[in-house]
Amino acid sequence: MFIQISTRLPSQFVYGFGETEHKQFRHEMNWKTWPMFARDQPPGYRFNTYGVQPFYMGLEEDGNAHGVLLLNSNGMEVKFQPTPALTYRTIGGILDFYMVLGPTPEQVVQEYTALIGRPVLPAYWGLGFQLCRYGYKNDAEISELYDNMKAANISYDVQYADIDYMERQLDFTLSPNFTNLPALVNRIKKDGMRFVIILDPAISGNETNYSAFTRGLHDDVFIKWPNSNDTVWGKVWPYRPDIIINSSLSWDDKVKFYSAWTAFPDFFRKSTAQWWKKEIEEVYNNPTNQSQSIKFDGLWIDMNEPASFVNGAVNGCRNPELNNPVYMPDILGKHVGLNEKTICMESEQILPDGSPVRHYDVHNLYGWSQTKPTYEALHSITGERGIVISRSTYPSSGKWAGHWLGDNVSKWDQLYKSIIGMMEFSLFGISYTGADICGFNDNTTYEMCARWMQLGAFYPYSRNHNGIGFIRQDPVAFDKKFEDISRNVLNTRYTLLPYLYTLMYEAHAHGSTVVRPLLHEFTDDKATWSIHEQFLWGPALLISPALHENVTEVEAYFPDARWYDYYKDEDINTRQQQKRLPTPLDHINLHFRGGYIIPWQLPGLNTYISRKNSMGLTVALDDNG
């Protein structure tokens, strides 16, 4: 039925487990249950979302820290009890526990990443500001956006194309509306810019001349039914060819009548990695028309839970015991089954050694299995480090990719929750993280987006991205004042990029955190153990943003150290107490910690330009001078 194990905890201070949205960094212990099963699900309280991270850090009353990983890829849940205690329930696999003993919180992460793999070091330009939206109508719209950003003198490094650039959202194709995209990419790259494209795993089988599918069939890369040569068919993007969409129909009816049947690559197979690389390479170097080659610099892999628009398969699943087990974890869709919004659990995948395995046992590894082949393909094709961003993650995904926090909503609570999400992914060994600045779903507001641009300027992965049908929210979408706010805070980010890159290197080489909870540096101060509306970059930069509507002051906590106002280079003479900080709409609070030397560089329109500028060091003296 299920495997269960319970343990008493040394204190109420427990952090981690994901990927779920939490209201606070420290876990709620009052009988809260947190499910873990990868799902195409926007963030929401107690929802199981895109990835699975069965790792937690415990903080004992004396300040000693430890970490525990349950290395298990089956569906599971964890329940906290006020004892304090913790109960695991998993519906398969084995209880394979790993412990790291700290004893400091920062050492817990260093030891954990020594176990699972250190975080990837992104290209320097990957730390620049990035822009995307789902719903660009054509390449001319992207071109105009780039020109407007350049005219406004607002720093940014990376432009994206979402699925709009494809013909009918069909992987490895180019829409007639984006015929000039390759030329546009070449133009902006001459200015030092970079370009990232999106790819989904599901491959349409309804095309008459689609080499990605025919080669995939030939190379035997698609997931099949057990003991059969029949492909497991789902429905994702795209719509079928040569049809006219009735836009008045409901989403479910559009899927029913228009969505193509799609096959899902089995990324465990060696042949799949080779096939995947070839298909990506033909986007970069179009073999039939070189002028249509898109010289991308990074890859963004989405929908890799794997997501499907039908439950299980087009014609249903065949094994009710696996899709509706006797014990169902407390996941979304449990009334439908484990197969809701994904493929059937009895689907068969093939491990690299040729052994068959049920999707039921490896569902949570799908995104993980796609990430390394994507990373290796990018390196091989471009000859550069680049960036890979994955929606679904599992322990060790951070070795190859960064992660954004998913299809969030333009609501005020998403600002502080993004800090919690980043701090959790710091624990999970994924340093290159951030949320969609200004929100993906729904319309943002002027004030919210301004505050989010300020906060997002201190995400390691700093991307403004919103959804189709909602108002524009890029830095040149509002007015001159908004442009000024965006320009100023991004100039600050670009000034501090040498420090941020140093932190990313330290994470890559030694496993240190980049977005760092205050408790990691000030464990002796229990006031820091529950702070989640402030955070640190490494040990030396304290960020205290405005996160709520209509506020002009922020109540910030300053632990026991010497703190200097970033803008004034003045000692604020406050330690181990709260301080009310004036925070008008054009301001974010930043403070250097005494005892550290921070490298900086004069900003530029992008990092290609800024890296040629003068550099300097800020020496922040501690009490010993």
Side-chain angles (χ1 to χ4, degrees):
M1 303 298 185
F2 59 86
I3 307 171
Q4 175 174 306
I5 188 170
S6 296
T7 178
R8 289 180 66 103
L9 298 169
S11 81
Q12 299 270 346
F13 294 92
V14 179
Y15 310 85
F17 288 127
E19 182 177 6
T20 50
E21 181 183 277
H22 298 130
K23 293 181 179 179
Q24 58 191 47
F25 184 42
R26 177 171 69 89
H27 266 288
E28 303 166 83
M29 304 299 291
N30 189 24
W31 301 103
K32 289 291 190 291
T33 300
W34 301 97
M36 285 179 276
F37 190 71
R39 177 183 170 91
D40 173 14
Q41 175 61 48
Y45 182 57
R46 297 178 69 181
F47 292 174
N48 54 296
T49 57
Y50 311 105
V52 169
Q53 297 287 342
F55 175 78
Y56 79 85
M57 181 182 75
L59 199 55
E60 300 170 25
E61 293 291 348
D62 62 2
N64 284 321
H66 66 276
V68 179
L69 167 68
L70 172 55
L71 190 62
N72 181 300
S73 57
N74 286 86
M76 70 175 77
E77 65 188 17
V78 293
K79 182 184 289 289
F80 287 104
Q81 297 116 63
T83 310
L86 169 63
T87 296
Y88 294 87
R89 284 180 179 171
T90 176
I91 56 174
I94 60 173
L95 297 178
D96 190 8
F97 284 99
Y98 295 80
M99 296 189 67
V100 292
L101 301 179
T104 70
E106 194 66 9
Q107 287 173 318
V108 165
V109 179
Q110 291 167 353
E111 293 158 4
Y112 179 55
T113 56
L115 172 68
I116 65 169
R118 303 295 198 199
V120 68
L121 179 62
Y124 191 88
W125 55 259
L127 302 182
F129 181 62
Q130 311 184 26
L131 276 178
C132 182
R133 78 166 297 164
Y134 172 31
Y136 289 132
K137 295 181 178 63
N138 48 49
D139 51 68
E141 185 176 355
I142 299 177
S143 180
E144 182 180 8
L145 172 62
Y146 172 69
D147 291 338
N148 290 341
M149 287 286 289
K150 189 174 178 181
N153 198 33
I154 298 174
S155 299
Y156 93 116
D157 266 80
V158 187
Q159 179 62 54
Y160 284 66
D162 207 318
I163 56 176
D164 319 283
Y165 83 91
M166 307 174 189
E167 183 179 359
R168 295 180 290 107
Q169 296 85 45
L170 188 68
D171 269 356
F172 316 118
T173 65
L174 188 62
S175 165
N177 295 328
F178 287 81
T179 303
N180 293 321
L181 182 64
L184 171 62
V185 172
N186 294 338
R187 174 170 80 89
I188 68 175
K189 288 183 70 167
K190 287 180 180 178
D191 292 341
M193 289 286 292
R194 303 288 182 152
F195 201 83
V196 174
I197 61 170
I198 190 173
L199 291 171
D200 295 333
I203 301 297
S204 171
N206 287 127
E207 312 302 314
T208 55
N209 184 23
Y210 185 37
S211 60
F213 177 69
T214 55
R215 287 193 291 234
L217 277 182
H218 179 270
D219 295 343
D220 196 21
V221 306
F222 298 121
I223 295 176
K224 300 177 181 178
W225 296 103
N227 304 311
S228 168
N229 282 320
D230 295 336
T231 300
V232 176
W233 294 105
K235 285 189 174 186
V236 199
W237 312 113
Y239 289 137
R240 292 184 287 110
D242 303 321
I243 59 172
I244 298 174
I245 308 299
N246 181 350
S247 59
S248 68
L249 294 180
S250 68
W251 169 258
D252 288 341
D253 282 340
K254 288 178 182 176
V255 170
K256 178 180 178 180
F257 295 121
Y258 304 137
S259 286
W261 288 25
T262 54
F264 296 85
D266 180 358
F267 287 99
F268 288 141
R269 293 174 180 256
K270 294 178 182 178
S271 59
T272 305
Q274 297 164 356
W275 163 84
W276 184 242
K277 176 186 171 183
K278 180 174 179 59
E279 302 308 325
I280 294 172
E281 189 169 21
E282 292 199 356
V283 176
Y284 193 83
N285 287 308
N286 188 305
T288 59
N289 185 349
Q290 276 293 310
S291 68
Q292 295 300 288
S293 301
I294 303 175
K295 299 299 185 180
F296 55 79
D297 303 279
L299 295 171
W300 167 28
I301 47 178
D302 194 11
M303 306 288 283
N304 56 349
E305 292 73 33
S308 180
F309 296 158
V310 295
N311 298 329
V314 170
N315 293 316
C317 298
R318 304 173 182 179
N319 188 324
E321 289 79 14
L322 289 180
N323 293 286
N324 292 277
V326 174
Y327 183 81
M328 181 74 75
D330 193 26
I331 61 172
L332 286 175
K334 62 183 180 181
H335 62 290
V336 174
L338 295 174
N339 60 308
E340 189 187 48
K341 299 181 71 174
T342 191
I343 63 176
C344 297
M345 294 297 108
E346 68 269 29
S347 303
E348 185 174 86
Q349 297 187 243
I350 306 297
L351 298 178
D353 66 1
S355 304
V357 62
R358 302 174 303 185
H359 187 75
Y360 176 90
D361 296 308
V362 295
H363 170 79
N364 293 329
L365 296 177
Y366 191 86
W368 173 88
S369 70
Q370 184 192 18
T371 304
K372 184 182 179 186
T374 304
Y375 174 84
E376 291 177 341
L378 176 68
H379 282 222
S380 176
I381 292 165
T382 67
E384 296 182 346
R385 201 182 327 157
I387 59 172
V388 173
I389 304 298
S390 177
R391 189 166 80 171
S392 186
T393 66
Y394 188 78
S396 80
S397 288
K399 289 171 59 178
W400 308 293
H403 172 67
W404 89 107
L405 298 175
D407 295 345
N408 60 1
V409 181
S410 296
K411 292 185 178 179
W412 280 98
D413 70 329
Q414 293 297 300
L415 278 75
Y416 86 84
K417 288 176 179 175
S418 73
I419 298 174
I420 297 169
M422 288 191 299
M423 293 194 297
E424 289 177 340
F425 273 90
S426 289
L427 295 181
F428 303 150
I430 303 180
S431 301
Y432 190 44
T433 56
D436 283 347
I437 296 170
C438 300
F440 179 78
N441 287 305
D442 293 345
N443 291 320
T444 191
T445 67
Y446 187 101
E447 180 193 4
M448 182 195 303
C449 198
R451 292 301 195 193
W452 215 328
M453 280 295 299
Q454 292 166 347
L455 170 62
F458 295 92
Y459 293 163
Y461 175 62
S462 180
R463 182 182 70 164
N464 182 313
H465 179 218
N466 70 321
I468 192 168
F470 305 116
I471 64 170
R472 277 179 53 190
Q473 59 189 39
D474 54 79
V476 291
F478 296 97
D479 60 15
K480 186 179 183 303
K481 180 180 178 182
F482 195 93
E483 292 177 10
D484 292 342
I485 291 170
S486 300
R487 182 187 310 106
N488 290 340
V489 75
L490 289 173
N491 279 345
T492 300
R493 177 187 180 87
Y494 275 66
T495 298
L496 293 171
L497 282 188
Y499 176 60
L500 177 58
Y501 191 69
T502 301
L503 296 175
M504 297 298 294
Y505 171 77
E506 291 292 328
H508 177 66
H510 307 295
S512 304
T513 57
V514 177
V515 168
R516 189 169 300 179
L518 274 69
L519 69 88
H520 279 229
E521 290 293 315
F522 302 95
T523 313
D524 291 341
D525 183 353
K526 286 194 174 183
T528 67
W529 292 15
S530 299
I531 290 176
H532 56 249
E533 294 199 356
Q534 297 171 267
F535 62 100
L536 293 157
W537 266 10
L541 180 67
L542 177 62
I543 299 140
S544 307
L547 302 171
H548 304 283
E549 191 172 11
N550 297 325
V551 302
T552 56
E553 293 182 320
V554 167
E555 192 77 21
Y557 183 75
F558 290 89
D560 188 13
R562 205 170 184 180
W563 297 98
Y564 297 87
D565 186 301
Y566 168 82
Y567 306 99
K568 300 177 181 178
D569 293 330
E570 295 177 354
D571 186 342
I572 65 169
N573 295 310
T574 301
R575 59 178 67 200
Q576 215 161 356
Q577 61 181 300
Q578 299 277 350
K579 183 177 177 67
R580 190 173 293 274
L581 304 173
T583 313
L585 186 59
D586 61 355
H587 184 75
I588 182 170
N589 303 296
L590 304 173
H591 293 86
F592 282 145
R593 178 183 175 188
Y596 291 89
I597 299 174
I598 297 92
W600 53 264
Q601 189 166 33
L602 294 177
L605 201 56
N606 55 50
T607 55
Y608 177 78
I609 296 170
S610 69
R611 293 188 79 176
K612 301 175 183 178
N613 292 342
S614 298
M615 297 189 71
L617 299 172
T618 294
V619 180
L621 300 180
D622 61 13
D623 293 338
N624 298 319

